[in-house]
Amino acid sequence: MKSNIPSKEFIKKQYEAYADYFNEIMANVISILRSKVILQAQPTYKSRVKSFSSYYKKILRLKPEEASQSDSLICLTDMMGIRMICAFLEDINLGLDQIKKIFEIKEVEVKGAEKKFSEFGYESVHVLIRIPDECKPEFKGKYKSLKPLPDEVVCEIQIRTILQDAWAEVEHELIYKTEFNPFDIPLRRKLASLNASLTLADITFQEIRDYQNKLQKEIEDRRQSFYSLADNLLNEKPKKAEKKENVNRITPFVQGTIDDMLLQAIHAHNEGNLEEAVDVYSKILEAISPDEKNVIAVIRKHRGMAYFSMNKFGDALEDFKISIEKDPKAFRTYYYAGIVYSIQKEYEKAIDCFNKSLEINKFQAHTYFRRAKDYYELKEYEKSMNDLNSALNLGMDEQECKPLQEKLVKKFGLNM
């Protein structure tokens, strides 16, 4: 008859025999996560096999009878733990949604959600996944002495932000590892204050990221509008900038800052309110110190693009020149200046700008394409063909290149 008292040494030997097996499973799961979870800022991953001390305490609490009678490994849901550590709060839900599509989910729990604000726990999302068969090593070689695990064995994935993970590490050392739960009110307040500060920091980081994303979307829309207008002008089809109706456009969320004014100006620019955009850009330039070269370079570049959209090419070129003076490494500004010179039929000056842009960044399909067109105007057909091929190799749209390509083929007397 078996004793009702479990043998700690037997259970320890049995549990630790699976350590390498568990680690290999987690490495395989992390490999899948790395390849299939795609976020704007890619997560980092940690993994751990639950310590025997924690494992033993838990089975005595949850499965005492099984511990005293079973000859097989007693399985818990958190023997294998992976942490997916994200940069921003929004990444938690985005990551969770992708994990749900990759694995069979057994359970999702938000830990800490039940705590009051005055308490010092911190939230994280815990996901239990069924371990895919391809992640399980075969029970042979160094694992041949192990008994196969039940199919229902799971792996836990904890999804946290960087700050949530930092809190969890410190909380584990201060409280759970020492079985310490402070009764002293001032000490509890300090811990609650730290928790609140970290939570606020996470929220603030997310707000800044949201703001950056909005600003980047506006800048990209404005850049594409600039390219479209440049195409029309270079093809001798002048087109006045149209006011666009777009109810989804964002509006500034912070009042009075330089970033806010820049977003307001770009928003007006994208909406076709060019005079308003120029006015706001000008106010920013009046408000900043002459020593802030990088800021001046950015604002001059944006205002130059607004002037360009108004067909004020002289004003646009002046802003682009000053922007380049303040930031000589700004390859896009050289490109914009080159387009203005091309429109003014000053092809040699345009090519000089395109040369400087490509010296800084040689992987610019549009810049090769524009330089190819200007070389064609200067009757330097071989250089034009070389640049056109470079543009195509870098992914330039074939249909956009076709008119110039056909003209060059005729000049060389070749058949398409």
Side-chain angles (χ1 to χ4, degrees):
M1 182 176 177
K2 284 191 175 184
S3 169
N4 290 328
I5 301 175
S7 168
K8 183 176 181 179
E9 285 304 313
F10 174 79
I11 294 172
K12 181 178 181 181
K13 184 177 179 181
Q14 189 180 51
Y15 179 71
E16 291 182 346
Y18 283 87
D20 288 345
Y21 186 81
F22 290 158
N23 279 316
E24 192 167 339
I25 287 175
M26 289 188 292
N28 293 335
V29 171
I30 288 174
S31 179
I32 293 174
L33 289 169
R34 288 187 194 280
S35 64
K36 294 189 176 182
V37 173
I38 307 299
L39 301 176
Q40 194 170 347
Q42 281 300 89
T44 57
Y45 298 92
K46 297 179 183 178
S47 63
R48 65 98 185 100
V49 175
K50 191 177 186 68
S51 70
F52 174 73
S53 176
S54 297
Y55 170 81
Y56 186 65
K57 288 177 184 177
K58 195 165 184 178
I59 61 171
L60 289 185
R61 187 175 76 251
L62 299 179
K63 303 181 178 182
E65 291 186 7
E66 194 173 342
S68 62
Q69 297 175 10
S70 178
D71 291 329
S72 301
L73 181 72
I74 302 165
C75 293
L76 301 177
T77 58
D78 59 349
M79 294 185 301
M80 291 172 276
I82 294 171
R83 288 186 189 175
M84 175 177 159
I85 304 167
C86 306
F88 300 98
L89 285 170
E90 68 174 349
D91 293 335
I92 293 176
N93 284 332
L94 293 173
L96 176 59
D97 288 342
Q98 293 183 49
I99 287 172
K100 287 179 177 178
K101 294 175 182 176
I102 299 167
F103 300 105
E104 180 183 330
I105 305 300
K106 294 297 187 180
E107 183 181 315
V108 177
E109 182 182 4
V110 179
K111 299 277 189 177
E114 74 286 352
K115 291 184 180 291
K116 298 177 182 178
F117 181 74
S118 59
E119 294 179 315
F120 44 87
Y122 204 10
E123 290 186 14
S124 65
V125 175
H126 291 216
V127 187
L128 298 183
I129 65 164
R130 177 189 172 275
I131 301 168
D133 291 339
E134 64 268 25
C135 292
K136 298 175 182 177
E138 294 184 19
F139 287 95
K140 60 183 183 180
K142 66 178 180 178
Y143 302 131
K144 66 181 180 181
S145 63
L146 301 179
K147 294 181 181 179
L149 299 175
D151 288 339
E152 62 267 20
V153 171
V154 295
C155 178
E156 181 181 67
I157 302 175
Q158 301 171 3
I159 314 175
R160 298 171 173 168
T161 65
I162 295 168
L163 294 182
Q164 287 173 342
D165 187 58
W167 172 266
E169 293 283 5
V170 175
E171 184 183 43
H172 182 72
E173 290 293 325
L174 283 179
I175 299 169
Y176 295 108
K177 198 170 180 181
T178 59
E179 298 183 359
F180 167 67
N181 192 2
F183 295 100
D184 183 70
I185 296 300
L187 187 55
R188 292 182 66 87
R189 285 174 178 165
K190 285 179 182 179
L191 288 168
S193 176
L194 281 172
N195 176 36
S197 295
L198 288 170
T199 302
L200 179 60
D202 256 340
I203 292 169
T204 303
F205 283 145
Q206 183 61 55
E207 287 178 347
I208 292 170
R209 168 48 65 91
D210 290 343
Y211 184 86
Q212 287 177 327
N213 287 339
K214 291 173 183 178
L215 181 59
Q216 191 60 40
K217 177 66 167 62
E218 294 283 2
I219 289 174
E220 183 59 30
D221 286 352
R222 189 235 40 235
R223 185 179 295 140
Q224 293 304 320
S225 176
F226 178 91
Y227 293 158
S228 178
L229 180 57
D231 287 337
N232 289 326
L233 290 167
L234 288 167
N235 292 327
E236 299 180 352
K237 297 177 183 177
K239 184 178 179 181
K240 186 178 180 181
E242 298 176 357
K243 183 174 180 178
K244 296 181 284 185
E245 297 296 331
N246 189 339
V247 295
N248 293 321
R249 285 221 174 273
I250 57 90
T251 55
F253 81 101
V254 180
Q255 296 297 320
T257 66
I258 295 295
D259 286 333
D260 171 66
M261 293 173 71
L262 175 59
L263 186 55
Q264 179 186 350
I266 295 173
H267 177 77
H269 190 159
N270 286 340
E271 291 294 300
N273 300 324
L274 299 173
E275 291 183 1
E276 178 188 344
V278 167
D279 181 60
V280 178
Y281 288 135
S282 300
K283 287 178 179 176
I284 296 173
L285 289 170
E286 291 171 4
I288 59 180
S289 166
D291 296 329
E292 297 186 70
K293 293 182 179 181
N294 288 338
V295 180
I296 292 171
V298 169
I299 304 305
R300 287 278 188 173
K301 177 180 69 175
H302 289 321
R303 192 175 71 172
M305 295 173 80
Y307 278 136
F308 182 91
S309 298
M310 298 168 74
N311 295 340
K312 294 184 177 182
F313 302 125
D315 291 332
L317 194 56
E318 181 65 19
D319 269 348
F320 291 148
K321 286 179 178 178
I322 295 174
S323 179
I324 289 168
E325 178 187 324
K326 301 297 182 182
D327 182 8
K329 295 296 183 182
F331 62 90
R332 283 200 179 95
T333 314
Y334 280 113
Y335 173 69
Y336 299 151
I339 288 176
V340 176
Y341 281 127
S342 295
I343 290 169
Q344 295 176 333
K345 301 188 185 302
E346 296 188 57
Y347 301 118
E348 290 181 351
K349 289 183 179 180
I351 288 170
D352 183 58
C353 287
F354 295 144
N355 288 343
K356 289 174 180 174
S357 181
L358 289 167
E359 285 172 9
I360 300 167
N361 179 3
K362 63 182 179 180
F363 302 106
Q364 299 181 76
H366 275 87
T367 307
Y368 284 109
F369 177 65
R370 300 291 182 195
R371 193 172 70 175
K373 295 182 80 170
D374 287 350
Y375 274 136
Y376 181 88
E377 296 296 335
L378 294 175
K379 298 182 171 54
E380 296 191 47
Y381 302 125
E382 187 173 348
K383 289 182 179 180
S384 179
M385 180 65 85
N386 288 338
D387 271 357
L388 186 61
N389 288 335
S390 294
L392 287 166
N393 287 338
L394 286 170
M396 189 77 185
D397 183 75
E398 292 183 8
Q399 290 303 310
E400 195 170 347
C401 294
K402 193 171 183 180
L404 177 59
Q405 192 174 42
E406 289 175 346
K407 289 194 289 186
L408 285 168
V409 166
K410 287 180 181 178
K411 292 295 180 183
F412 285 109
L414 302 173
N415 294 320
M416 291 289 284

